[in-house]
Amino acid sequence: MKFASSGDWWAVRKDLGHTRATFLMVCSFILPLLIWCAAAYGPWWKVAYQITIPAETTRLQSVYTTGNRLTPETWKEFQDAVEKDNGEILSARESGQAATATARQGKKIVRQIHPIAVTNGWLTRGQEMDDEALRKTWIDLAAGKLEAEKEPVTDGNLAIVKANAEMLSAAGTGWPTEPMLKLLPQAAEEVSRPVFLVPPDVVARSFWKGITAKKADDTETGAERKTLLQRYGESWRTIICGFLLAIAVAIPIGILAGTFDFISKLTEPFVNFFSYMPAPAFGVVLMAIFGLDMGPKVMLVFLGTLPCAILTIAKTTRGLDPSLLEAAQTLGASRAQLIRTVIVPGILPNLYKDLRLLLSTAWTWLVIAELLGFKSGLAEIIDTHGRRFQFDIVYPAILMIGLSGFFMDQILAHLSRYFFPWVEQPKKGIVDKILSGVPAMIRMIKPSKPAPVAAAPASGNLPQ
């Protein structure tokens, strides 16, 4: 077997072969993924307990609620404290010296079951304070009418549920006058990673759940609930509108500035000065002018993209081969003819490349733009769920932005082979080959038309 020397991989200003280039491109994606997996699944994280059934106890200074994650030591201390509280209640009952309980204390015990009732679909999140519904849940669970399909109830807690249900039934419409037993804390065992280090499989499941959801998540709050794809569509609308508006203004100004020094000196100094001013600084002004809906978002993308677009297109125009202009002028071309028949056709391939780069610039303004006025698009997901540290929902939205920009750029690069076949193109990469095969795949999927059946010749015309 022949092995490639290291010099073949490190040749100065020499393109690698197709196989090596493809291998390195795949590695550029796999290596960050491996680092992410090593950080998330490594053996250096301890076990943690995420509370699913909370409890209150005066034996601890801290109050733990649903979703809190505790270390094994704190979790054991928490459980022991609640068990001691129940032990005191039972001892008092046996000695005939049970304390007196108020209705408020009874309601606090009954509300303990709400988190697990929501998880199993017995109650909704809005019934957290619906004491009658909670009370009925205790009685139905004790009677075996409810099944814990998603979050099981431990045997210890089931015994407590039955004991308390008897007291609730005996109290009729009132509340027991003796203290009821507290539910023992329950928790889901998980790895104690930092909250921002979400494992890849969790992000992948959240991503799939988001793109396949047909209706908005019931847990999402806000004036208008939307699916991930609906918000994705809003982001595309903002980007496309802002970008098209920017290049519609920048292309004529950039070409004129690159052609006539008069236009260049008149516009480029101010545009260069304006490019150093951060576009988000105009957010308040844009909201005052265009309202709080889509207008300021589109205009922020426009303002963020426009200065860079004008300067880039002007530079590309100035880079046109001067011999082409001299030849056209020798043949008597006017200024308008020079622009229309020489400059514009001459800079089109490079102008196309500029627009690809400017589109990626427009994506960088998206998150800031969508937070102006009424939040919308993927930025609303990133901002709202990021504030709650729900990074399993935040990361899929960020990935969608990155994947959209990457694949859009690859598609535009592939199309340039058809738009400008006379320009020397780089070697086809793996993405180019996949895109080249798309038309053939579509033809394979599309059912072919049945072959026409030849009409049977009339009997009188049969050859003799």
Side-chain angles (χ1 to χ4, degrees):
M1 180 181 293
K2 182 180 178 181
F3 293 95
S5 64
S6 60
D8 296 333
W9 288 89
W10 298 95
V12 177
R13 295 187 64 85
K14 186 177 179 182
D15 292 340
L16 291 172
H18 173 71
T19 305
R20 294 175 184 176
T22 303
F23 171 75
L24 291 177
M25 193 194 78
V26 173
C27 286
S28 71
F29 286 90
I30 289 181
L31 285 177
L33 182 61
L34 290 177
I35 294 172
W36 184 10
C37 291
Y41 300 124
W44 36 77
W45 303 116
K46 296 180 180 178
V47 175
Y49 294 87
Q50 187 170 29
I51 297 176
T52 56
I53 293 184
E56 289 188 10
T57 175
T58 57
R59 298 176 188 276
L60 300 177
Q61 293 183 345
S62 301
V63 176
Y64 302 116
T65 59
T66 307
N68 287 158
R69 292 197 301 176
L70 307 182
T71 62
E73 296 79 14
T74 307
W75 173 244
K76 182 73 169 51
E77 185 181 11
F78 185 32
Q79 283 187 311
D80 290 345
V82 178
E83 286 178 355
K84 287 179 181 177
D85 289 345
N86 285 343
E88 286 185 354
I89 294 172
L90 293 174
S91 298
R93 288 181 188 171
E94 290 176 358
S95 63
Q97 298 177 348
T100 302
T102 62
R104 184 172 179 272
Q105 291 173 321
K107 291 177 182 178
K108 289 179 69 175
I109 296 294
V110 165
R111 291 171 187 173
Q112 260 192 286
I113 207 169
H114 181 257
I116 199 170
V118 173
T119 304
N120 287 308
W122 304 334
L123 297 173
T124 63
R125 292 185 181 275
Q127 292 179 294
E128 185 178 10
M129 307 295 283
D130 188 348
D131 296 322
E132 291 306 317
L134 291 164
R135 180 180 184 136
K136 186 174 182 302
T137 303
W138 280 75
I139 296 172
D140 289 347
L141 182 60
K145 296 180 181 178
L146 300 177
E147 292 187 6
E149 296 178 349
K150 295 182 179 178
E151 177 71 26
V153 181
T154 62
D155 293 339
N157 273 337
L158 194 57
I160 292 173
V161 167
K162 291 179 179 178
N164 286 350
E166 288 181 6
M167 297 178 68
L168 290 169
S169 299
T173 56
W175 291 92
T177 55
E178 292 185 7
M180 292 189 290
L181 296 175
K182 299 175 182 176
L183 285 177
L184 299 176
Q186 279 188 214
E189 189 174 317
E190 62 175 29
V191 180
S192 178
R193 303 182 187 89
V195 65
F196 56 83
L197 186 58
V198 184
D201 66 297
V202 176
V203 175
R205 285 199 297 272
S206 177
F207 180 80
W208 181 251
K209 180 183 176 184
I211 62 174
T212 57
K214 295 182 180 178
K215 62 178 183 179
D217 190 353
D218 292 336
T219 62
E220 186 179 1
T221 59
E224 192 175 2
R225 295 175 178 174
K226 297 175 184 174
T227 64
L228 181 63
L229 290 182
Q230 286 174 327
R231 297 193 183 284
Y232 183 56
E234 289 179 347
S235 295
W236 266 109
R237 183 187 60 186
T238 303
I239 282 290
I240 294 299
C241 291
F243 177 72
L244 291 180
L245 187 60
I247 63 172
V249 176
I251 287 177
I253 296 178
I255 291 177
L256 291 175
T259 303
F260 302 107
D261 197 43
F262 174 81
I263 302 295
S264 173
K265 295 296 187 291
L266 185 64
T267 58
E268 288 192 66
F270 178 77
V271 172
N272 192 28
F273 157 74
F274 192 82
S275 67
Y276 286 99
M277 301 168 73
F282 297 95
V284 179
V285 179
L286 294 176
M287 285 190 288
I289 299 174
F290 299 100
L292 302 176
D293 202 1
M294 186 180 171
K297 302 173 178 54
V298 172
M299 292 309 296
L300 183 67
V301 175
F302 168 77
L303 284 183
T305 309
L306 181 65
C308 184
I310 292 176
L311 297 176
T312 304
I313 294 171
K315 183 179 179 183
T316 297
T317 306
R318 279 192 285 270
L320 182 66
D321 188 355
S323 62
L324 296 176
L325 296 173
E326 293 170 0
Q329 287 172 325
T330 304
L331 296 174
S334 64
R335 291 192 185 93
Q337 287 175 324
L338 281 175
I339 295 175
R340 190 175 63 251
T341 60
V342 179
I343 295 177
V344 173
I347 66 169
L348 268 183
N350 289 330
L351 179 61
Y352 186 80
K353 292 179 183 177
D354 292 341
L355 296 183
R356 281 174 51 199
L357 294 175
L358 292 169
L359 182 58
S360 64
T361 304
W363 276 101
T364 62
W365 296 107
L366 175 69
V367 174
I368 301 173
E370 290 186 327
L371 294 180
L372 290 179
F374 300 127
K375 297 177 186 176
S376 66
L378 295 176
E380 183 176 3
I381 296 177
I382 295 170
D383 183 68
T384 304
H385 293 278
R387 291 174 185 272
R388 302 172 189 165
F389 293 162
Q390 295 172 329
F391 293 103
D392 57 322
I393 302 175
V394 171
Y395 289 156
I398 297 175
L399 282 175
M400 288 186 80
I401 295 176
L403 291 174
S404 301
F406 175 76
F407 283 112
M408 177 54 64
D409 184 69
Q410 293 296 317
I411 292 172
L412 293 176
H414 177 73
L415 292 177
S416 69
R417 297 178 182 277
Y418 301 97
F419 294 157
F420 312 107
W422 64 89
V423 177
E424 184 180 359
Q425 301 285 351
K427 294 179 181 177
K428 281 190 175 182
I430 185 170
V431 178
D432 261 329
K433 290 192 173 182
I434 293 173
L435 292 174
S436 299
V438 170
M441 293 171 62
I442 293 175
R443 285 195 296 271
M444 289 175 63
I445 296 172
K446 187 178 179 181
S448 58
K449 294 182 179 178
V453 178
S459 58
N461 298 330
L462 288 174
Q464 299 298 320

